[in-house]
Amino acid sequence: MNQPLEVLEQATRHRYHVPARADLLPDEEPVRLLSPDGTLTQDERYPLDLDDHDLQQLYRYMVLGRRLDDESIKLQRQGQLAVYTSCLGQEGAQVGSAYALRRDDWIFPSYREHAVARVRDVDPVRLLHHSRGTWVSAHDPREWRFASQAVSIGTQIIQAAGLATAAQFAEDDIVVMTYFGDGATSEGVTHEGMNWASVFQAPIVFFCQNNGWAISVPVSRQLAAPTIAHRGIAYGMPGIRVDGNDVLASYAVSRVAVDRARSGGGPTLIEALTYRMEAHSTADDPTRYRGGDELAFWSAQDPLERYQLFLSARGLLDDAFVAEVAQESADMCARVRSEIYDAPHGDPAELFEHVYEGVPAHLAAQRAQLQGEIAAARGDAS
Ligand SMILES: Cc1ncc(C[n+]2csc(CCOP(=O)(O)OP(=O)(O)O)c2C)c(N)n1
């Protein structure tokens, strides 16, 4: 490097706190604290500061997430939900990362963060109205600091970057965590959000769950970079790979990133290696694109089973506690069923409202046709 360039680079680094290049190169080996047999190995870079209560809470949230997931799929099969996107297998990544946040920190999810929502205790009934095809989502994002579930891939990422920048302007010490999949990393908005956040050193954590697939497109078709974490280099933010089926590693890595963001250190890109054990959504048939041995491999990495082995060995998973969590899960699902089942749908004619100030002629014609068909189906026409 010639001298003037070096001086310029040092000045820029000083002004904008750009990390040194060597610090940005991610380790390809994912951070793992729990081995598949539940044995804990400490990593001094990512210390664990969890007491026994915290350790049990992680289990509780993972079970609540898994139980609600199962219930939601059944509700969809019974025609009560239009579609549902399972988080089965991703509970370790989701619960561990969300547990690293404060209650006043903001979460910007995609459509798959059901276990994250358990940690934040967002009302599951309100969230599931989203999957029922009624008003976009019935929960108030401000109440839970949990934004609307984003179905348009990547849109939550720029919104999250915007909120993080606003918090920075307001000198509010909150952190924003945004969740997305490997497929979302190919979207333009993801680039814009990460670039913006890093240039302005916004207090945000980009949490990518690399679950191997974007519906039927494998992750190998998403990027030519060595890993998703390597993309952080281009934005000047650290990228960390973590075993997403290890709830403790997901927590510890997220905790470092959250603390870093809160203390003015800027954003971090976390790539959690995990797997969605279910179909992409209840409208998908994964047997058409993935081999059976893949599922078997990941079944052996189940995040909940691994964590149960760890908790049992620590004496933190006695029958009474397991029964208590099972009962809480059953009660939650019973409430979901009673409040979702046969809840009124919105008027389908609303489809034609809220986009144009006045309904254009071609949409008015479609609305009249739809209303006619609905009336005929109900027998009103006879
Ligand atoms: C902008 C946009 N393009 C395409 C789609 C259709 N779509 C829905 S889910 C999905 C795959 C997303 O995969 P990934 O980001 O890896 O998340 P995952 O579903 O695996 O959690 C696509 C392409 C969409 N919802 N939004």
Side-chain angles (χ1 to χ4, degrees):
M1 190 183 290
N2 66 37
Q3 194 125 35
L5 207 57
E6 201 169 340
V7 170
L8 181 68
E9 192 186 89
Q10 273 169 10
T12 313
R13 201 173 293 289
H14 173 71
R15 167 108 168 70
Y16 295 112
H17 312 289
V18 178
R21 280 184 203 151
D23 298 343
L24 293 176
L25 195 63
D27 199 343
E28 285 193 35
E29 189 62 28
V31 177
R32 175 186 267 186
L33 302 182
L34 279 185
S35 58
D37 68 0
T39 309
L40 179 69
T41 311
Q42 302 275 3
D43 183 331
E44 59 186 21
R45 297 168 302 168
Y46 303 105
L48 275 179
D49 59 350
L50 301 173
D51 62 20
D52 287 354
H53 173 72
D54 293 317
L55 293 173
Q56 288 188 320
Q57 285 290 81
L58 294 177
Y59 167 82
R60 184 176 150 246
Y61 291 131
M62 287 170 81
V63 171
L64 286 168
R66 186 162 287 198
R67 186 68 186 82
L68 184 63
D69 209 64
D70 183 53
E71 189 68 35
S72 304
I73 291 172
K74 289 186 175 122
L75 283 169
Q76 193 280 334
R77 297 289 184 240
Q78 292 161 10
Q80 292 295 321
L81 303 179
V83 69
Y84 180 76
T85 44
S86 168
C87 68
L88 184 70
Q90 299 186 206
E91 300 94 338
Q94 296 194 6
V95 169
S97 54
Y99 204 75
L101 294 169
R102 272 188 348 210
R103 175 60 179 82
D104 60 345
D105 290 334
W106 267 88
I107 292 169
F108 279 74
S110 78
Y111 42 75
R112 205 179 290 289
E113 275 67 66
H114 309 294
V116 172
R118 288 307 94 236
V119 179
R120 189 47 66 88
D121 200 23
V122 188
D123 185 343
V125 175
R126 288 168 181 261
L127 280 178
L128 283 173
H129 270 284
H130 178 262
S131 312
R132 203 174 150 77
T134 50
W135 273 90
V136 178
S137 179
H139 83 286
D140 176 357
R142 288 188 184 84
E143 186 179 346
W144 281 284
R145 297 212 159 188
F146 187 91
S148 296
Q149 301 168 82
V151 175
S152 291
I153 304 298
T155 47
Q156 73 276 24
I157 296 170
I158 35 171
Q159 293 161 2
L163 194 139
T165 313
Q168 195 179 28
F169 286 164
E171 296 183 3
D172 184 347
D173 78 339
I174 60 156
V175 169
V176 178
M177 172 103 63
T178 183
Y179 290 89
F180 49 97
D182 39 285
T185 64
S186 302
E187 290 282 345
V189 284
T190 307
H191 162 70
E192 291 173 37
M194 287 191 187
N195 191 52
W196 172 279
S198 201
V199 167
F200 292 98
Q201 295 287 283
I204 182 168
V205 179
F206 295 96
F207 196 91
C208 177
Q209 289 166 88
N210 177 357
N211 64 12
W213 294 94
I215 313 184
S216 57
V217 179
V219 67
S220 58
R221 288 286 180 197
Q222 298 293 352
L223 73 163
T227 73
I228 289 172
H230 277 79
R231 289 198 166 170
I233 299 171
Y235 302 115
M237 72 173 88
I240 309 173
R241 301 191 98 202
V242 63
D243 179 345
N245 285 16
D246 174 350
V247 66
L248 294 182
S250 296
Y251 167 80
V253 160
S254 302
R255 189 60 214 254
V256 166
V258 166
D259 288 352
R260 184 167 176 270
R262 204 182 309 284
S263 61
T268 304
L269 169 60
I270 297 175
E271 177 187 2
L273 297 161
T274 183
Y275 192 72
R276 79 167 148 73
M277 309 274 287
E278 258 291 346
H280 166 77
S281 75
T282 47
D284 171 46
D285 174 10
T287 60
R288 295 179 64 175
Y289 55 84
R290 70 182 180 195
D293 49 344
E294 187 177 311
L295 192 57
F297 170 82
W298 283 96
S299 297
Q301 314 284 325
D302 185 300
L304 183 55
E305 283 174 18
R306 191 191 304 189
Y307 195 53
Q308 282 169 326
L309 291 172
F310 164 76
L311 282 185
S312 295
R314 284 232 166 176
L316 293 173
L317 199 64
D318 63 26
D319 291 349
F321 177 58
V322 170
E324 183 189 312
V325 175
Q327 188 59 52
E328 184 184 357
S329 305
D331 292 347
M332 171 186 65
C333 291
R335 188 173 81 79
V336 164
R337 277 195 302 278
S338 72
E339 293 186 31
I340 285 282
Y341 233 91
D342 293 338
H345 279 284
D347 179 357
E350 278 183 21
L351 271 176
F352 300 94
E353 291 169 17
H354 311 302
V355 175
Y356 298 99
E357 189 181 358
V359 179
H362 71 288
L363 290 183
Q366 287 179 23
R367 180 168 64 186
Q369 183 184 348
L370 177 69
Q371 284 170 329
E373 286 177 13
I374 291 171
R378 286 187 185 137
D380 298 357
S382 58

